[in-house]
Amino acid sequence: TGGITFNGMPVATDAVSQTKIIGAVVDAQMDPTAVIKWKMSNGSFVTLDAAAVGAVAMAVRAHVQAGFYREAELRAQIEAMLNPDAINAVDINAGWPV
């Protein structure tokens, strides 16, 4: 949920922002000529055409999915551990998408 930088733009990736991006994608699919103003996570605005909306959405989706993959990896590692010392040795801070 920390956000990403996509093509130099700071893009929010929290759940509310993901929902808004989905709405923008639907709009772009319904009207491929649509051009929208999109608020970046730093408060600035950019103009996005339908293709750019789709590109931002795909970047956000990839970022969120990478986080889920990492969470699943860590969960599997921790569940496979047989003792608390081994669990404590797992570095839960490493390997997350940036």
Side-chain angles (χ1 to χ4, degrees):
T1 60
I4 60 171
T5 300
F6 177 73
N7 287 347
M9 301 178 295
V11 180
T13 58
D14 60 274
V16 171
S17 296
Q18 290 177 52
T19 301
K20 290 178 182 179
I21 291 168
I22 291 168
V25 167
V26 170
D27 182 46
Q29 289 175 338
M30 291 172 49
D31 180 5
T33 65
V35 176
I36 65 169
K37 287 288 187 188
W38 192 261
K39 188 174 184 179
M40 298 286 100
S41 63
N42 66 358
S44 67
F45 286 88
V46 297
T47 301
L48 301 174
D49 63 12
V53 167
V56 169
M58 292 302 292
V60 169
R61 188 203 69 65
H63 174 76
V64 170
Q65 193 60 55
F68 287 151
Y69 283 132
R70 180 62 181 145
E71 181 181 0
E73 289 171 352
L74 287 170
R75 182 176 181 159
Q77 280 181 331
I78 290 169
E79 288 176 348
M81 300 299 170
L82 300 176
N83 64 62
D85 289 333
I87 292 171
N88 290 333
V90 175
D91 185 357
I92 62 171
N93 295 309
W96 292 96
V98 291

